């Protein structure tokens, strides 16, 4: 597909096609570097991806202005994923089932379409299919809903959901599936969908219901949290020889799927991975 067919010539001359990530805060996001590297690798020189810091009270009116301002699409991160689904005119079945959207596409008529690529992105990041496997999911926020839904759709045999606030785990299990647990035990996969590990590394094993040594009871640890350098969870798993998928790999995979939807082109995964990991 040519740049023009992919939308590279859309919009007023010199404006090009715009993409971005909506969040509050959003300064920490690696998505702009990752997507701009992808756009360059695809030769989409008129496209730009930018941070869009938007407080919750301005989310709806800002999103409605993006299409007319030349935006083709936007990723959505904390705390806007539920609001993004709510304002969309159309949404994929998976976004509705999960109850949150991380990808918006703006139509020429001003319509907003919502999708959730966190779920298929998580599955794409796994070293193998979770079909028939057991999993423990830590957390009950937006990313946990996507991960539990993805695991069950992919045929996981058992998905246990633990959350600091137990009632939220019960609510997630009732709405999405899986079973809420107050304590966690051994399983094939352990997925951290809490925000523990973003800043306070020393607090990780005080805040989560596993010890560093108990990580050996899992075949693979997946940490959705990403930061510069390994999280404490990833570091402890690696040092015990446990297979690891880190948050940057999940970021790359969900971003690749969003990008493919906006451009109609196969995502340059290696370029995205290199840019996401560049310090
Ligand atoms: P939410 O705000 O929706 O949920 C946060 C979760 O973390 C809740 O379950 C909350 O528990 C828990 N939590 C927060 N602080 C603590 C604590 N001190 N101890 C124990 N549990 C705690 O966030 P998301 O689900 O959207 O995102 C979670 C993390 O995953 C974020 O760091 C986000 O950046 C990352 N993420 C990464 C992605 C990637 O592509 N790599 C994709 C999506 C998310 P409680 O209910 O008790 O408050």
């Amino acid at each position: 597909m040519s740049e023009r067919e992919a939308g590279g010539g859309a919009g007023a001359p010199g404006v090009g096609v715009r993409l971005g990530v909506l969040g509050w805060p959003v300064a920490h996001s690696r998505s702009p570097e990752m997507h701009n590297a992808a756009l360059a690798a695809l030769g989409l020189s008129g496209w730009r991806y930018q941070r869009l810091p938007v407080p919750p009270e301005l989310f709806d009116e800002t999103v409605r202005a993006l299409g007319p301002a030349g935006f083709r699409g936007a990723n959505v991160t904390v705390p806007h994923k539920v609001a993004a689904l709510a304002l969309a005119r159309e949404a994929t079945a998976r976004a509705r089932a999960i109850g949150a959207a991380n990808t918006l596409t703006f139509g020429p008529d001003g319509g907003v379409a919502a999708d959730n690529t966190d779920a298929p992105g998580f599955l794409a990041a796994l070293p193998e299919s979770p079909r028939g496997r057991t999993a423990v999911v830590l957390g009950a926020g937006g990313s946990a809903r996507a991960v539990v839904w993805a695991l069950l759709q992919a045929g996981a045999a058992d998905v246990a959901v633990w959350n600091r606030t137990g009632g939220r785990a019960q609510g997630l299990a009732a709405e999405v599936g899986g079973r809420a647990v107050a304590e966690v035990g051994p399983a094939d996969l352990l997925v951290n969908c809490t925000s523990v590990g973003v800043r306070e590394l020393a607090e990780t094993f005080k805040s989560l219901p596993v010890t560093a040594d108990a990580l050996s009871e899992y075949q693979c640890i997946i940490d959705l949290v990403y930061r510069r350098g390994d999280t404490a969870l990833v570091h402890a798993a690696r040092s015990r020889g446990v297979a690891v998928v880190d948050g940057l790999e999940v970021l790359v995979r969900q971003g690749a799927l969003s990008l493919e939807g906006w451009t109609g082109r196969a995502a340059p995964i290696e370029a995205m991975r290199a840019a996401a990991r560049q310090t």
Side-chain angles (χ1 to χ4, degrees):
M1 189 186 288
S2 71
E3 181 174 331
R4 180 162 292 277
E5 284 169 321
V15 173
V17 183
R18 303 169 78 184
L19 301 168
V21 54
L22 293 150
W24 187 255
V26 76
H28 66 285
S29 174
R30 300 293 297 161
S31 290
E33 290 79 5
M34 179 176 82
H35 281 281
N36 283 321
L39 295 170
L42 291 173
L44 295 174
S45 57
W47 294 56
R48 288 286 177 277
Y49 187 110
Q50 66 190 82
R51 287 181 179 79
L52 296 166
V54 180
E57 62 274 18
L58 295 179
F59 183 75
D60 277 31
E61 67 181 272
T62 303
V63 170
R64 291 185 202 290
L66 291 178
F71 279 80
R72 170 69 53 87
N75 285 124
V76 183
T77 187
V78 179
H80 300 311
K81 290 184 183 182
V82 172
L85 178 66
L87 69 68
R89 189 164 70 190
E90 48 188 272
T92 57
R94 67 184 172 213
R96 290 197 194 287
I98 292 163
N102 77 325
T103 305
L104 296 176
T105 303
F106 307 111
D109 59 348
V112 180
D115 192 9
N116 188 309
T117 66
D118 282 334
F122 164 74
L123 291 177
L126 296 180
E128 58 185 42
S129 166
R131 177 166 296 281
R133 301 303 183 121
T134 59
V136 170
V137 175
L138 307 179
S143 63
R145 294 177 72 93
V147 164
V148 170
W149 185 87
L151 287 167
L152 292 170
Q153 285 290 309
D158 182 60
V159 180
V161 185
W162 173 92
N163 193 52
R164 174 179 63 176
T165 311
R168 286 189 80 194
Q170 288 166 3
L172 190 164
E175 290 170 30
V176 182
R179 59 187 179 91
V181 296
E183 293 174 359
V184 311
D188 295 321
L189 308 176
L190 176 72
V191 192
N192 178 33
C193 299
T194 74
S195 45
V196 173
V198 177
R199 281 176 221 90
E200 301 297 331
L201 292 186
E203 298 299 312
T204 294
F205 291 103
K206 292 181 194 156
S207 304
L208 299 181
V210 284
T211 63
D213 283 335
L215 297 181
S216 305
E217 297 173 349
Y218 301 88
Q219 287 179 13
C220 184
I221 308 288
I222 303 101
D223 193 354
L224 263 63
V225 171
Y226 67 87
R227 60 189 300 281
R228 289 191 193 279
D230 283 347
T231 61
L233 191 65
V234 164
H235 176 76
R238 280 197 215 285
S239 63
R240 285 163 179 78
V242 180
V244 161
V245 175
D246 70 8
L248 283 173
E249 184 61 20
V250 179
L251 180 81
V252 167
R253 297 299 186 149
Q254 60 79 32
L257 293 168
S258 299
L259 188 80
E260 288 178 351
W262 296 322
T263 65
R265 304 270 297 270
I269 297 280
E270 284 305 330
M272 297 178 80
R273 191 179 281 135
R277 292 190 180 282
Q278 203 164 39
T279 50

